[in-house]
Amino acid sequence: MKNFITFIGLCFLIPTVIIAQEKPTDTITPKELNEVIVIGKKTQLYEKQDKPLATIDEYLQQSGKIDMIRRGSYAWEPIVNNMTTERTLITIDGMRVFGACTDKMDPITSYVEVSNLSEATIKSGQQGACHGATIGGSVDLIRNRSGFSDLGWDTSLNAGFETNSQQKIIGSAINYTDKSFYVDTDFMFRDAENYTDGKGQEVLFSQFRKFNISATSGFSFDKNKLMEASIIYDKATDVGYPALPMDVSLAEALITSLKFEYVPKLSKIENWETKIYYNTITHKMDDTKRPSVPIHMDMPGWSDTFGFYSKAKGVLRSHHFLADLNSFYNRSVAEMTMYPADSNEKLMFMYTWPDVKTFYTALFLEDNIALNLHSSLKFSTSLANHFNKVASQLGLESLQIFYPNMKDSKNRILPSISSNYSYDKNGFSYGFGLAYGERAPSVSEGYGFYLFNSFDRYDYIGNPELNNENSVEGSISIGYNTQKWSTKISSSYFHISNYIVGKPDTTLVPMTIGASGVKIYTALDFATIFNADLNLEYQFSTGFKWKGQLVYSYGKDFEKQNLPFISPLRYSSSLNYKKGKFTSEIAVQGNATQTQYSPFYGEDRTPAYAILNFDTGYSFAFEKVKCNVKAGIENIFDTYYSTFSDWNNIPRKGRDFFLNVAFNF
């Protein structure tokens, strides 16, 4: 606690010293340094991306701060700054959504589609604390919103095909907008068979089928007042996971919200937005299609979330401020029923998530101060109350076998504070920041009961007595831009105390057949994670542009042992040509050999790889119909490879031809 108080004092001291150096200018707007992946409006999707109908997972991989853990060809788990979803936040339009699968088969990104998204805003570390407690950062998936105009009706049709997995894609969007009303609707369907790897071998249980329906409607009942309602319905069936012992028969989500937005006149408050939301997710794991199952299991899970946020943005002289009050209630429950081969034996039932109810409330404050024409200081802080309660008596009694003094509820206080300075002049820019934050254990870490991890082959048991995980972080970035050149290098360092991991307990017997043992979630003294990424761009001429990216990461615990899912050196390079309505790109991407792997967590050495991709596109119009065509080849040389984040070393796709077509009228 003493270190935390000292750190808070330091964060307050930095702005005081900098502000004293130069008198602020009250007519300047400070620049935001967050990374944004532009996905594009429905009608602009083909103008912004090389493979327009790629999954959201493929889009997010463009970021130097994001990797994806892949358990199959569908629903990859995003990791931010080499930290998995326990330590990060994924939101949809600022809404908290929680998966219903104990094996992370349903990350939040799986419940949206590229056709109804405009961008993904990525914030590193405590810069992402606006929507909740985090350590690694956050990703906010922002959906398309037409706004008010007199454009009237707009319709588009999308279709795509990929040869490797025989994936069929079809989608449509119908939008209407006038000066006081708009409605955006979107539909997308995907159906894929098993894919083949670089050796031509079929990867069994890699199929999936899903559809997504999205609608947003806004009404302006005054020039400065807006009411907006939105809904997402997503349903995936027959989803195979080749890296896991089970598949998914159903992953279904309903996500709804109602928003009121007010723009005051002649006020220091520029915008006030309040949203209430509700979402419910149902997830059912299935092993009935597997050829050899020692004992059949049903493993359904449910997650229901009610929430709201109310945030106000304003300007007072050189201060651009934000106040955000947010809260949510979540109920997470998961079951497992085992069916013995002998029908005369009794069924075995247990709660793997014992009906855990979470109530969270936080106040987030931010002040972005324009110091002068070239520099600004952003300071933010938040204070949250996190309350858990185990509602199932059976689940509580099961956990009390390991924790006899365990209570049915626990309350935690989660503070966060950060300070960031940025400078930009004559094409040269730099920034640095310091931050501190805490998070509560996840439902699995705190209350999970015999959760089997097929990566290290251990059953995991939660620990409700864990302390908050807390992190001190530092970040720095340097960039330089000219008319042709753009270069930026950024890095971050995290010192995470009470780092939560699972450790083997040899006194316990595993429940899963074939498991190596049982691990209890506990906390290491500390762990450190370092990330650095270099992004380069050069405009050779009006038609040719080159982009390059290099990412390096490093992670160790307090005993200098490697942490899991730390990316080896990875790189990408692309050359893009555009002339009129024609575009073309050739790109290479790859990883170096993963040498800093962790056998303790189930990892092994993965070799280096590099793949080559090519795509080309053309746009044309006839009468009032605009048409866009994109075609390409991924993994041109049919390379056989597996990356550090491919669960149990499942191989990636071999050579794949794709065709995407869009009509807009």
Side-chain angles (χ1 to χ4, degrees):
M1 188 64 184
K2 181 179 179 181
N3 292 337
F4 175 56
I5 294 173
T6 303
F7 187 78
I8 290 178
L10 180 61
C11 286
F12 273 103
L13 179 61
I14 290 173
T16 304
V17 172
I18 295 176
I19 290 173
Q21 292 176 355
E22 188 168 353
K23 185 178 180 180
T25 304
D26 60 4
T27 59
I28 304 167
T29 301
K31 294 183 178 180
E32 290 287 344
L33 300 178
N34 302 319
E35 183 178 1
V36 176
I37 296 177
V38 177
I39 298 173
K41 300 284 186 181
K42 298 180 180 72
T43 57
Q44 300 172 335
L45 192 61
Y46 279 77
E47 299 173 9
K48 296 181 181 293
Q49 300 296 343
D50 304 311
K51 185 182 177 184
L53 298 182
T55 63
I56 185 63
D57 306 324
E58 294 172 281
Y59 277 80
L60 291 177
Q61 284 190 131
Q62 299 174 22
S63 169
K65 293 180 174 59
I66 295 183
D67 275 301
M68 309 295 290
I69 297 177
R70 195 177 70 96
R71 298 171 174 90
S73 58
Y74 174 76
W76 304 350
E77 178 191 356
I79 52 179
V80 183
N81 284 323
N82 289 278
M83 297 183 223
T84 54
T85 47
E86 292 88 355
R87 297 182 174 89
T88 60
L89 290 179
I90 308 293
T91 53
I92 301 174
D93 286 331
M95 297 182 290
R96 297 297 301 270
V97 185
F98 295 87
C101 177
T102 57
D103 282 357
K104 300 184 181 180
M105 294 176 174
D106 64 335
I108 308 311
T109 48
S110 66
Y111 294 119
V112 291
E113 269 290 349
V114 294
S115 55
N116 55 48
L117 291 178
S118 63
E119 64 184 42
T121 302
I122 302 162
K123 297 185 178 182
S124 180
Q126 295 309 310
Q127 293 297 299
C130 176
H131 302 298
T134 182
I135 297 293
S138 70
V139 180
D140 190 21
L141 303 171
I142 301 173
R143 297 165 66 204
N144 285 322
R145 178 183 178 188
S146 290
F148 302 108
S149 65
D150 55 359
L151 295 177
W153 292 97
D154 179 81
T155 304
S156 64
L157 297 174
N158 303 312
F161 182 74
E162 298 186 24
T163 58
N164 191 305
S165 60
Q166 303 293 301
Q167 182 178 176
K168 284 78 67 178
I169 308 168
I170 187 167
S172 66
I174 300 175
N175 310 313
Y176 175 80
T177 177
D178 63 28
K179 293 182 178 180
S180 62
F181 175 78
Y182 64 84
V183 58
D184 298 326
T185 64
D186 180 87
F187 170 80
M188 184 68 78
F189 173 77
R190 297 177 185 267
D191 182 29
E193 306 299 330
N194 292 335
Y195 68 84
T196 56
D197 60 28
K199 294 180 179 179
Q201 300 171 332
E202 182 181 8
V203 179
L204 298 177
F205 311 110
S206 60
Q207 81 288 341
F208 69 89
R209 182 181 298 113
K210 73 162 291 185
F211 71 86
N212 180 282
I213 300 173
S214 171
T216 302
S217 181
F219 175 70
S220 176
F221 50 89
D222 200 347
K223 289 184 178 181
N224 62 341
K225 298 181 181 67
L226 162 71
M227 187 71 74
E228 182 183 87
S230 72
I231 185 170
I232 299 173
Y233 179 69
D234 187 279
K235 184 176 182 180
T237 57
D238 189 24
V239 183
Y241 287 88
L244 301 176
M246 300 186 76
D247 302 312
V248 170
S249 60
L250 176 67
E252 185 177 34
L254 177 67
I255 302 169
T256 64
S257 69
L258 182 65
K259 181 179 76 171
F260 174 75
E261 191 171 346
Y262 174 53
V263 181
K265 298 177 181 179
L266 303 175
S267 171
K268 302 298 183 183
I269 304 295
E270 290 186 328
N271 179 274
W272 180 24
E273 177 183 317
T274 300
K275 177 183 287 186
I276 58 173
Y277 59 88
Y278 165 74
N279 54 75
T280 179
I281 294 176
T282 300
H283 191 273
K284 296 181 179 179
M285 284 188 269
D286 177 35
D287 61 8
T288 57
K289 295 184 179 181
R290 295 298 175 104
S292 178
V293 179
I295 182 169
H296 169 62
M297 293 184 290
D298 283 338
M299 296 185 67
W302 300 270
S303 173
D304 299 310
T305 305
F306 300 84
F308 86 92
Y309 68 77
S310 184
K311 61 182 177 181
K313 297 180 180 179
V315 178
L316 181 62
R317 298 186 181 90
S318 60
H319 298 265
H320 297 250
F321 59 85
L322 166 68
D324 187 329
L325 177 65
N326 61 88
S327 182
F328 70 82
Y329 164 84
N330 171 259
R331 174 179 180 261
S332 293
V333 57
E335 304 172 351
M336 180 170 67
T337 303
M338 291 178 280
Y339 299 85
D342 185 351
S343 58
N344 294 321
E345 295 183 14
K346 291 184 178 181
L347 302 180
M348 292 176 282
F349 174 87
M350 65 181 182
Y351 283 106
T352 49
W353 281 348
D355 198 0
V356 181
K357 298 180 178 180
T358 303
F359 184 68
Y360 175 95
T361 302
L363 176 63
F364 176 87
L365 301 173
E366 179 182 280
D367 187 8
N368 204 346
I369 309 165
L371 302 176
N372 52 51
L373 285 169
H374 310 293
S375 60
S376 64
L377 176 73
K378 183 164 67 173
F379 175 76
S380 67
T381 184
S382 70
L383 188 64
N385 187 80
H386 183 280
F387 176 79
N388 284 132
K389 182 178 177 62
V390 177
S392 166
Q393 186 63 30
L394 174 60
L396 177 63
E397 291 172 354
S398 298
L399 285 169
Q400 285 175 337
I401 296 173
F402 307 101
Y403 310 101
N405 299 320
M406 172 188 172
K407 306 297 182 182
D408 65 351
S409 63
K410 189 173 183 65
N411 196 74
R412 301 171 185 267
I413 302 298
L414 306 174
S416 166
I417 189 169
S418 71
S419 182
N420 291 265
Y421 174 76
S422 61
Y423 177 88
D424 189 346
K425 184 178 182 180
N426 297 331
F428 176 74
S429 63
Y430 68 87
F432 61 85
L434 292 171
Y436 174 89
E438 297 188 12
R439 75 164 180 104
S442 67
V443 173
S444 291
E445 292 169 335
Y447 305 98
F449 191 75
Y450 280 98
L451 305 177
F452 179 62
N453 184 322
S454 62
F455 196 72
D456 60 9
R457 306 202 65 78
Y458 275 82
D459 282 334
Y460 278 68
I461 294 174
N463 182 354
E465 298 173 355
L466 288 168
N467 293 324
N468 295 346
E469 191 175 86
N470 52 80
S471 170
V472 175
E473 67 179 84
S475 61
I476 187 170
S477 65
I478 301 173
Y480 183 70
N481 298 317
T482 66
Q483 189 173 1
K484 289 190 173 183
W485 266 107
S486 174
T487 178
K488 182 179 180 181
I489 183 169
S490 60
S491 64
S492 58
Y493 175 82
F494 297 85
H495 184 281
I496 308 171
S497 301
N498 299 321
Y499 188 85
I500 300 173
V501 298
K503 279 195 169 182
D505 188 328
T506 56
T507 65
L508 301 178
V509 178
M511 184 174 295
T512 304
I513 296 174
S516 301
V518 178
K519 286 185 177 181
I520 299 286
Y521 277 110
T522 186
L524 305 179
D525 287 350
F526 67 87
T528 58
I529 297 176
F530 173 78
N531 305 289
D533 60 274
L534 171 65
N535 290 275
L536 301 168
E537 186 175 308
Y538 184 71
Q539 188 82 42
F540 288 98
S541 64
T542 55
F544 282 100
K545 179 189 290 186
W546 172 80
K547 291 182 179 181
Q549 184 182 77
L550 195 63
V551 182
Y552 173 78
S553 302
Y554 176 90
K556 298 281 187 180
D557 66 16
F558 73 107
E559 295 178 329
K560 303 300 180 183
Q561 299 298 312
N562 295 322
L563 297 178
F565 295 113
I566 302 297
S567 173
L569 183 71
R570 64 183 174 100
Y571 58 88
S572 65
S573 178
S574 64
L575 181 63
N576 180 275
Y577 175 73
K578 182 177 182 180
K579 185 175 182 180
K581 299 179 180 180
F582 175 81
T583 61
S584 184
E585 182 181 81
I586 187 166
V588 62
Q589 64 184 58
N591 277 6
T593 302
Q594 185 193 28
T595 57
Q596 299 182 27
Y597 58 92
S598 175
F600 177 80
Y601 297 103
E603 290 187 312
D604 56 17
R605 182 187 179 97
T606 54
Y609 79 91
I611 61 171
L612 188 67
N613 304 322
F614 173 78
D615 66 81
T616 185
Y618 188 73
S619 301
F620 59 93
F622 50 93
E623 295 184 353
K624 295 183 178 181
V625 179
K626 297 179 182 179
C627 181
N628 297 273
V629 179
K630 282 286 181 76
I633 312 173
E634 297 176 306
N635 194 359
I636 292 175
F637 297 111
D638 206 18
T639 302
Y640 179 87
Y641 70 105
S642 179
T643 77
F644 80 101
S645 59
D646 291 323
W647 201 263
N648 287 331
N649 301 122
I650 58 168
R652 297 247 175 168
K653 282 184 178 181
R655 186 184 297 113
D656 184 25
F657 295 85
F658 71 85
L659 175 66
N660 291 175
V661 182
F663 298 93
N664 180 257
F665 48 91

